[in-house]
Structures are given as C-alpha cells and as structure tokens.
Amino acid sequence: MKLTDLSPLMARRTDGGLSFGRFRVDPALASLQWPDDVLEQFLFDHGDNASFVRDYGGIDLDEVTWRLETIPAADFSAMPTGESDAGCIESFAENPVHWVDVRPPEVSRHWEEHGTWMRPPILIDRRLLAPSDSGLQVLEGRTRVGVLRGRLRDGLRVASHHQAWVGHPSTAPAGPLIAAKRRLL
C-alpha cells in the first residue's frame, strides 16, 4: 500500500468527517499495525500533503516496521529531511527560542527541564527510499529537530539522547498469502 492508495481515506479526513479515532481503525490502516503516534503524525496529519506524497509516495507502507528508539543528540545534527522540504530544519534552527515560545507553555518547560521534545518525531531508515542509501531521515518533526539543532548551537540545555520513532524496512518481507490477508482486513 502506498500513500496514494489512501486518497479516499484522506479525502474523508480533510472533509472533517473523520476523527483520528475513526481514522486509526480503518481496515486499511489497522492492517499496518503501526503505533498510533506514527499513524497520527505521518498519515493522519500529512498523508495527503503534496510534498510528503512526492518524497515518500514510493514507500510500501506494509513493509515498514516502527520502533521507538533512543538516538544521540549529535546524530540529529546533519540528518536530512525530504527533498521537497530541503532547508526547512535549518530554518527552524535559526531561531529555536521563537519556535518553542509559539508552542504551549508546557513545551518550553519540557525543553528547559529535560532538554528534549515532548513528542518523539518520526524518522525513517533511508533504505526505505533507496536500498543503497544509509542513515536516518526526518520524516515528521522538522520543527523539533530544528529546535534541537539551534539549542545545541546556542549552548542551551539539550539532553544527550532523544527518543524518536524510526521506520525500518521489515526484516522478513510478508509472503504473498500474508500480504493478501493484510489487504483484505
């Protein structure tokens, strides 16, 4: 299943007729067995975003396995995002205090107390985009990663490690029978 296969579902969400609770139990999505946080941040919030579809439309969503991982702060320093949003993270990093101040007060408190974001961003293993690639890419959470980079540069409190959802290629591709069952669910 690709992002474009979700167009009818996205149209219902866009029309306001679909809450996240109803979205997440749609049979097409339930078969993915993705964490709710990933479903919401990636598919519900951005599944019909033209730049996301351009950058991530080739990914077979059925072949992505998600894990909540702890990643060193330094690893985020040069992590790219999709081509359609090139420069976006760097733009947020230019003024990290502003991008925290325009959020609810608890976001600022959390950065000051914990040196990290409240909600883990979504990263993907670049092999999902091209098998010969390596490393991670920021899929969603570009503002959060930009704030982290800016805070590092400005000497503000930053934790040494941060949690992020990371999508990896499934280790064992589903056989034809399992894949067919997933599509029927």
Side-chain angles (χ1 to χ4, degrees):
M1 174 175 31
K2 309 281 183 168
L3 282 175
T4 53
D5 297 328
L6 299 175
S7 294
L9 186 60
M10 291 293 138
R12 289 193 354 240
R13 180 205 43 88
T14 303
D15 292 342
L18 198 59
S19 66
F20 177 67
R22 289 183 39 222
F23 179 86
R24 68 182 279 281
V25 295
D26 184 277
L29 299 178
S31 68
L32 291 175
Q33 299 181 13
W34 286 10
D36 282 350
D37 203 20
V38 174
L39 278 175
E40 186 174 14
Q41 289 188 68
F42 180 10
L43 299 181
F44 187 74
D45 293 346
H46 298 290
D48 58 352
N49 176 314
S51 65
F52 270 60
V53 174
R54 248 187 326 278
D55 292 343
Y56 307 111
I59 295 174
D60 182 348
L61 304 177
D62 291 308
E63 298 301 323
V64 182
T65 301
W66 295 96
R67 292 191 306 250
L68 188 60
E69 298 182 14
T70 301
I71 300 171
D75 288 5
F76 289 95
S77 293
M79 197 178 290
T81 192
E83 283 184 33
S84 298
D85 289 321
C88 178
I89 294 173
E90 294 78 7
S91 176
F92 292 123
E94 288 175 11
N95 194 351
V97 172
H98 166 76
W99 292 107
V100 169
D101 285 348
V102 297
R103 302 292 188 267
E106 59 268 18
V107 172
S108 179
R109 276 194 303 277
H110 199 270
W111 275 105
E112 292 307 317
E113 292 173 10
H114 303 284
T116 193
W117 36 68
M118 293 178 66
R119 188 176 194 189
I122 311 295
L123 312 177
I124 59 166
D125 182 320
R126 292 181 53 82
R127 291 178 298 163
L128 288 165
L129 301 168
S132 62
D133 278 355
S134 63
L136 298 176
Q137 178 166 316
V138 180
L139 189 144
E140 172 48 11
R142 296 169 309 253
T143 305
R144 285 167 273 179
V145 173
V147 166
L148 173 70
R149 287 184 188 177
R151 289 179 67 90
L152 279 168
R153 181 200 63 233
D154 294 349
L156 301 172
R157 180 181 167 101
V158 174
S160 63
H161 290 76
H162 306 269
Q163 287 199 315
W165 286 105
V166 181
H168 295 280
S170 296
T171 55
L177 182 59
I178 293 171
K181 285 182 182 179
R182 283 185 181 166
R183 283 190 288 278
L184 293 173
L185 291 177

